[in-house]
Amino acid sequence: MTPEDRAEITDTVVRMGWYLDRRDWDGLRGLFTEQVYTDYTDLWGGEPRSGTVDQLLSTTAQGSWRRTMSGLEATQHLITNVLVTVSGDEGRATSNVVGVHRLTNPHGSPLWTSGGTYDMALTRTAAGWRIRSIVYKLSWVDGNQQVLFRAMSAAA
């Protein structure tokens, strides 16, 4: 693994949180392969999802990032301690993540925070390293989960 690979993969992973918090959907789209696997079952239950990056960032698809995030006043995703491995054109990044979600609501605290780890698989493309898979493992939660449920229903 070259230092350049490590830096580019780390940058891609950190940019995901940065772009998500700024609702930069075009920036986010550019970080992923066309097909994306996501597994947030530790957080939400259900099943992992496979689909296109456009489905992940859709305004209408149930559980899409854009639909959920658009219903929130603010978020902050802190992605730290990124560990990188590379084998040829395939990379893996594991990291810690804390996500703070804010929405004023009549059902308690305006904040819901979760902490856990990301395990991401990346592929080297002509345009650089792109995320093709994200698995989130939950470590802890704090606050009012109604924040997210209300955000999802408000965006429906």
Side-chain angles (χ1 to χ4, degrees):
M1 171 175 47
T2 68
E4 291 81 11
D5 285 337
R6 179 185 308 279
E8 288 175 26
I9 289 172
T10 300
D11 187 64
T12 299
V13 169
V14 171
R15 280 180 188 274
M16 188 186 79
W18 180 265
Y19 289 154
L20 185 60
D21 292 337
R22 282 147 189 81
R23 311 304 188 257
D24 181 346
W25 308 117
D26 291 335
L28 265 173
R29 189 182 196 300
L31 298 178
F32 291 94
T33 56
E34 188 55 38
Q35 292 292 313
V36 182
Y37 172 88
T38 57
D39 182 348
Y40 284 85
T41 56
D42 251 22
L43 190 60
W44 303 116
E47 299 293 324
R49 296 177 183 212
S50 290
T52 67
V53 65
D54 289 332
Q55 289 170 321
L56 177 66
L57 302 178
S58 166
T59 58
T60 59
Q62 181 68 27
S64 76
W65 288 8
R66 188 173 190 167
R67 182 176 172 185
T68 302
M69 295 297 114
S70 293
L72 293 166
E73 293 168 3
T75 57
Q76 187 171 44
H77 291 82
L78 306 173
I79 301 172
T80 65
N81 302 336
V82 181
L83 303 176
V84 176
T85 58
V86 173
S87 179
D89 290 336
E90 299 300 315
R92 175 155 249 106
T94 57
S95 61
N96 291 328
V97 60
V98 174
V100 182
H101 309 81
R102 179 176 175 76
L103 178 65
T104 303
N105 70 88
H107 300 287
S109 170
L111 297 176
W112 183 66
T113 305
S114 64
T117 59
Y118 277 137
D119 183 3
M120 297 184 190
L122 297 93
T123 300
R124 186 192 321 263
T125 71
W129 286 98
R130 297 296 179 258
I131 301 165
R132 65 178 168 79
S133 170
I134 300 173
V135 177
Y136 178 77
K137 292 295 180 187
L138 181 66
S139 298
W140 57 271
V141 296
D142 188 33
N144 182 2
Q145 195 172 23
Q146 286 298 313
V147 165
L148 245 356
F149 296 141
R150 291 183 63 78
M152 285 187 276
S153 66

